[in-house]
Amino acid sequence: QQPVQSPQAVILREGEDAVINCSSSKALYSVHWYRQKHGEAPVFLMILLKGGEQKGHEKISASFNEKKQQSSLYLTASQLSYSGTYFCGTESHQAGTALIFGKGTTLSVSS
Amino acid sequence: DTAVSQTPKYLVTQMGNDKSIKCEQNLGHDTMYWYKQDSKKFLKIMFSYNNKELIINETVPNRFSPKSPDKAHLNLHINSLELGDSAVYFCASSQLRGPTSPLHFGNGTRLTVT
């Protein structure tokens, strides 16, 4: 079952904050976040596991609400380099075999 | 050193032809994948191999056949290409099978069928 991401697109100025949400109709074991810049491959940002803590590095962090089957990605004080499409990937089983990705959220940061 | 490499980067061909895409990873990972990204950027899992063994085969036409000669290589052969096969195909690898290992993607192969 494909997770649902919202919003579909976000337009920011440098220094502004954004939140991207990912929700599933199924119980989740893990949520991954990736960023893809135009014409490039998706790049791993972080993994959140069931029972795990909120993750983050520098100004990008994420949370995982197991009861609501949701994850949120927080981008604070956005930089131009944050522009791209953000994908969440979910897996419902500990012994699962492949991520199912959402349709992506396009983030555009301008100066 | 490129961790996950795919060849070719671009592939333009006519309907009905057969083509192959090669993928190699030098990360020592156990699991490799093929994902298809369409024009709307939707990333869809096609196949997954763990130590040369097929573990996922999503609803993909039989014209697509993956082959893993060893755990560092996963190739994709496509027969009788159709217009709808046009997309970017990404190879990826992960250290472990399962949801706890990050995916490392190759740079993609843009396939255009005319």
Side-chain angles (χ1 to χ4, degrees), chain A residues 2 32 34 36 85 96-97 99, chain B residues 35 37 41-42 56 98-99 103:
Chain A
Q2 184 181 29
H32 294 219
Y34 293 78
Q36 184 179 29
T85 301
T97 50
L99 291 180
Chain B
Y35 278 88
Q37 187 170 46
K41 295 188 179 178
F42 176 38
I56 287 181
L103 297 186

Side-chain angles (χ1 to χ4, degrees), chain A residues 2 29-30 32 34 36 39-42 44 47 49 85 87 91 93-103 106, chain B residues 9 31 33 35 37 40-43 45 48 55-56 90 97-108 110:
Chain A
Q2 184 181 29
Y29 183 82
S30 73
H32 294 219
Y34 293 78
Q36 184 179 29
E40 298 181 6
F44 170 74
I47 289 177
L49 301 177
T85 301
F87 293 96
E91 175 53 67
H93 304 286
Q94 186 173 359
T97 50
L99 291 180
I100 306 300
F101 284 97
K103 291 187 176 180
T106 300
Chain B
K9 188 172 174 63
T31 308
Y33 312 82
Y35 278 88
Q37 187 170 46
K40 295 184 179 179
K41 295 188 179 178
F42 176 38
L43 268 168
I45 181 69
S48 173
I55 55 173
I56 287 181
F90 284 102
R97 167 183 170 174
T100 61
S101 290
L103 297 186
H104 297 254
F105 284 88
N107 286 329
R110 182 174 293 276

Side-chain angles (χ1 to χ4, degrees), chain B residues 31-65:
Chain B
T31 308
M32 297 184 72
Y33 312 82
W34 280 110
Y35 278 88
K36 177 182 180 181
Q37 187 170 46
D38 61 23
S39 58
K40 295 184 179 179
K41 295 188 179 178
F42 176 38
L43 268 168
K44 184 177 177 183
I45 181 69
M46 299 175 70
F47 301 103
S48 173
Y49 270 76
N50 183 256
N51 275 323
K52 302 193 299 174
E53 179 186 352
L54 179 66
I55 55 173
I56 287 181
N57 181 353
E58 289 296 310
T59 308
V60 176
N62 290 337
R63 299 181 294 103
F64 290 79
S65 53

